[in-house]
Every structure is written in C-alpha cells, then in structure tokens.
C-alpha cells in the first residue's frame, strides 16, 4: 500500500496530460484547416446581409409545371398512342398522348341516333300543326255549316208536319181548336219530327264544341316541345363528342416534356399516382421563397422590386441575381413537393423572385425544382 501512495501523484499528472491532449485533438478535428472549410460550400453558412434574412426557396416556372394523367371524363383508360418523348418541345394544344375511345365513340353514335329521332318528331309536330289548321277550316266551313243546315231542315220539316196535322183536324176531323194541343202531343209523326230536330241540334252543338276546342288548342306547343327535345339530344351529342376529344390529351401550354412514364397499351386509373408525364412550361424562371414566421417581421412589401441574391442550396459560392416580384400577405402551407410525400403543416409566407438570367455564362443553370437560398437583404 505504501508504493500505491507514492505513485498517486504520478498517476494524476498522467491523467491530466491525457485530458489536455484529447481536447486539443478534438478541436483540430472539428475545425480543420481554413482551406478545407472553404472547400466544403455546404458547411459554410451563407452570407447574410445586414437587416435581411436568408430563406429557403425552390426554382419554379410561371405558371408552375403541369402533371398529366387521366382526362376528367374517364375513370380508367388504355393508352392507344404516345406522341411525345422526353425533352420534346411542344406548342399549346399539341397532342401528347391518346386514350382508346371505343366506348366513348359508341356514346357518340347513340347520341347521333337520338338527334335524328328527335328531328323526325319535329317534322311530325309541324305536319300536325298544318293539319290542325286544315281541320279548323274544314270544321268551320263544312261540318258546322252542314249541321246548321240540318237543324234548319229538321225545324222546317217539324213545322210542315204540324201544319198538315192541324189542317186535317180542321177539314177532315173537324175538331175544335181546344182539342188540338192534346191530340198533337200524342201524334206519332209529329213526335218523330221533333226527335229528329232535337238530334240535329245536338249534332250541331257537338260540332261547335269541337271547333271551340280546336281553336283554343295551340299546335305550336308540340312543335316547341319537339324542338326542345332536339336541342337536348344535340347537347348530349356534344357532350359525347367532347368525351371523345378529351381522350386526346393535349398540351395546355407551350413547354418541354419531362419524364414520360407511359407507353402504348399502358392502363391508367384513378388510383395511379405516377403522372403520365410532366410538362415544364416555357417562359421565365422564378424562385418561390419560403419565409417562416420567425423572419416574417423582417420581410415586408417594401422589398417589392428590390434585387436579391439567390444561392445554390449546396454551394453558396454559386449565386444568381433576382428581383422581388411579390411578397405574400398570408401564411399558407408549404407547396407540396415530390420529396415530401405526406406534406407539411408548416405555414410560410411565399415570396416570388424573378430570376434575371437562370443560366449565366460559366455557371450551371437553375433547374426547376432545385432548392436554393435567397438572401432577402440584398
């Protein structure tokens, strides 16, 4: 135990020496040489201008890129033809790819038949309208006139029969006039004449009622109804033809085709998540910068029109010049991105930066979707 007490000061000195050496080595490993730190651009914090924050952003087009998939008229379909390939330059309205439209074409054929049938109904209604007028003219000039003449003839016949009977009462039977009325009521010839007269009056009244009904009716109602059916059938035809046309997917804007993922025979459905292709619109490049809440008070409308510096996210030495076009006034969710599948609940103010030259000489071009940093103080 004596030797242990003698060695304790030596052991303490050795331990202190090891601790100092470890601290010196750790400092050397952490900071390294100045040239090595400069070589690693991602490890060097981006320069900050006085009074301005540095925020993250993404290179974009204006308008943004468009992903293409199913047309809205079908839930699934088979690709019949692909008309473009990666890196093709296309104009607005140019054909990109085509779905098999056999079923939609059958709908067009059925709609055409419905239009033809409805047009036949219009012609029938117009013919009935003409016949209606002819029927009114015939009823007024012929049927009603005949029934009036028949009533007049039956009335004359009744009066004639009555006069002949009374004449017989006077000259043959020599009946007193007081007995004529009772005898006339029981005379069969006079009774038949009266019945025939009443029948003629009834027929005339029926003809008058039919004429009134015909004159009150509007045959153009059926014509208009048939014409409305034609318009409806034509609308269905236009809808069916639009469905066929939408099976041909066309570029909504001029631009460059990127990442074509389909070929003839492929099937797309509502559960298909991969776009058929991406179309990068032609035109200027912008940066959509994301100003988070901690920097919002330092970024205001006064920056609009001011120049800013855009730096590559992984190499701060690569810089580009931009101009602030717009600074949002509302905190919104970050724009969805391919690498952030579930999205983000972080809300930011979006600032749109116009890039003067996205491909300056001697520097790699800014590419759509590229992450960058924006120094809002310059």
């Amino acid at each position: 135990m004596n030797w242990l007490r003698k060695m304790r000061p030596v052991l303490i000195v050795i331990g202190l020496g090891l601790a100092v050496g470890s601290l010196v080595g750790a400092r050397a490993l952490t900071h390294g040489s100045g040239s090595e730190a400069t070589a690693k651009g991602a490890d060097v914090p981006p320069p900050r201008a006085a009074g301005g924050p540095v925020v993250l952003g993404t290179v974009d087009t204006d308008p943004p890129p468009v992903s293409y998939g199913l047309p809205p008229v079908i839930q699934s379909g088979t690709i019949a033809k692909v008309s473009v390939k990666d890196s093709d330059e296309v104009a607005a309205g140019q054909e990109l790819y085509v779905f098999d439209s056999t079923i939609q074409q059958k709908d067009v054929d059925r709609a055409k038949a419905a239009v033809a049938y409805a047009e036949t109904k219009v012609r029938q209604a117009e013919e009935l309208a003409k016949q209606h007028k002819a029927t009114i003219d015939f009823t007024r000039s012929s049927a009603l006139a005949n029934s009036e003449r028949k009533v007049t003839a039956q009335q004359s016949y009744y009066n004639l029969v009555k006069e002949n009977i009374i004449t017989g009462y006077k000259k043959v039977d020599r009946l007193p006039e007081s007995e004529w009325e009772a005898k006339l009521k029981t005379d069969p010839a006079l009774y038949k004449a009266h019945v025939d007269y009443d029948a003629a009056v009834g027929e005339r009244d029926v003809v008058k009622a039919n004429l009134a009904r015909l004159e009150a009716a509007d045959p153009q109602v059926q014509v208009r109804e048939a014409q409305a059916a034609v318009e409806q059938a034509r609308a269905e035809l236009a809808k069916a033809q639009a469905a066929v046309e939408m099976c041909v997917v066309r570029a909504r804007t001029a631009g460059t085709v990127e990442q074509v993922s389909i070929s003839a025979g492929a099937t797309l459905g509502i559960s298909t998540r991969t776009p058929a292709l991406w179309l990068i619109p032609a035109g200027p490049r912008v940066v959509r910068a994301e100003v988070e809440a901690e920097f919002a008070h330092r970024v205001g409308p006064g920056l609009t029109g001011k120049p800013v510096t855009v730096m590559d996210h992984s190499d701060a030495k690569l810089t580009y010049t931009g101009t602030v076009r717009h600074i949002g006034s509302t905190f919104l969710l970050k724009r969805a991105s391919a690498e952030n599948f579930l999205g983000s609940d972080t809300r930011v103010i979006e600032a749109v930066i116009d890039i003067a030259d996205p491909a300056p000489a001697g520097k790699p071009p800014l590419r759509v979707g590229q992450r960058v940093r924006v120094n809002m103080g310059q």
Side-chain angles (χ1 to χ4, degrees):
M1 297 299 294
N2 291 332
W3 69 269
L4 184 59
R5 283 193 298 266
K6 293 179 180 180
M7 292 296 295
R8 181 176 297 174
V10 177
L11 294 174
I12 292 173
V13 172
I14 294 174
L16 291 173
L18 291 174
V20 171
S22 298
L23 291 173
V24 173
R27 180 179 179 84
L29 291 175
T30 301
H31 293 280
S33 64
S35 60
E36 291 175 349
T38 304
K40 297 180 180 180
D43 295 333
V44 178
R48 294 177 179 265
V54 176
V55 298
L56 293 175
T58 304
V59 180
D60 202 354
T61 59
D62 188 20
V66 180
S67 65
Y68 288 78
L70 283 170
V73 293
I74 59 176
Q75 293 185 337
S76 65
T78 301
I79 302 295
K81 181 177 68 170
V82 179
S83 305
V84 294
K85 59 184 182 299
D86 287 350
S87 75
D88 278 356
E89 300 288 336
V90 297
Q94 183 174 331
E95 179 182 295
L96 300 177
Y97 53 95
V98 182
F99 283 94
D100 181 5
S101 60
T102 302
I103 295 177
Q104 288 74 21
Q105 188 59 53
K106 295 298 181 183
D107 291 339
V108 171
D109 296 340
R110 183 171 63 250
K112 287 181 178 179
V115 170
Y117 178 77
E119 290 174 342
T120 300
K121 288 297 183 181
V122 170
R123 291 191 291 271
Q124 289 179 352
E126 291 173 341
E127 184 61 31
L128 288 174
K130 295 178 182 178
Q131 293 177 7
H132 181 81
K133 184 178 184 303
T135 302
I136 290 177
D137 294 340
F138 172 79
T139 302
R140 183 183 296 113
S141 62
S142 181
L144 181 59
N146 289 338
S147 64
E148 292 285 3
R149 286 194 295 270
K150 187 175 182 179
V151 169
T152 301
Q154 289 297 332
Q155 186 176 16
S156 299
Y157 178 72
Y158 173 81
N159 292 335
L160 179 61
V161 171
K162 183 176 182 180
E163 289 176 2
N164 289 337
I165 293 173
I166 292 175
T167 300
Y169 289 163
K170 291 179 180 180
K171 296 180 178 181
V172 178
D173 298 333
R174 299 189 181 276
L175 290 175
E177 187 175 349
S178 59
E179 297 181 7
W180 292 355
E181 185 176 354
K183 292 284 289 183
L184 289 173
K185 290 181 179 179
T186 59
D187 188 281
L190 185 62
Y191 178 78
K192 183 178 183 305
H194 186 272
V195 170
D196 291 342
Y197 170 75
D198 286 343
V201 171
E203 291 176 3
R204 181 198 63 188
D205 291 343
V206 170
V207 172
K208 284 184 175 181
N210 287 336
L211 179 60
R213 179 179 58 80
L214 289 171
E215 290 175 337
D218 183 6
Q220 293 303 316
V221 171
Q222 291 183 337
V223 175
R224 291 192 292 269
E225 182 179 353
Q227 290 173 339
V230 170
E231 293 303 318
Q232 182 178 4
R234 287 175 178 170
E236 291 296 327
L237 174 59
K239 178 181 177 181
Q241 289 173 332
V244 171
E245 293 172 1
M246 292 182 74
C247 286
V248 180
V249 180
R250 301 182 181 277
R252 298 167 207 161
T253 182
T256 304
V257 175
E258 293 281 356
Q259 204 176 66
V260 178
S261 61
I262 57 172
S263 59
T267 299
L268 299 182
I270 57 175
S271 60
T272 303
R273 304 195 63 89
T274 304
L277 57 84
W278 283 90
L279 180 63
I280 309 302
R285 295 292 183 261
V286 298
V287 169
R288 302 189 189 276
E290 302 165 351
V291 182
E292 298 191 1
E294 59 183 307
F295 300 123
H297 67 284
R298 302 172 63 187
V299 176
L303 289 178
T304 302
K306 298 296 181 64
V308 294
T309 299
V310 177
M311 299 163 285
D312 182 80
H313 183 268
S314 59
D315 188 352
K317 295 190 300 296
L318 294 175
T319 60
Y320 306 81
T321 302
T323 304
V324 178
R325 179 202 298 180
H326 170 73
I327 295 178
S329 60
T330 306
F331 281 98
L332 300 174
L333 293 174
K334 290 184 178 181
R335 291 176 180 261
S337 58
E339 65 271 15
N340 193 0
F341 180 77
L342 297 178
S344 171
D345 60 356
T346 302
R347 293 180 179 270
V348 296
I349 293 176
E350 185 175 87
V352 180
I353 313 298
D354 288 316
I355 302 301
D357 184 4
K363 296 181 182 180
L366 289 174
R367 294 178 172 84
V368 176
Q370 179 178 346
R371 294 293 281 173
V372 294
R373 297 178 184 269
V374 181
N375 190 329
M376 302 296 291
Q378 296 180 354

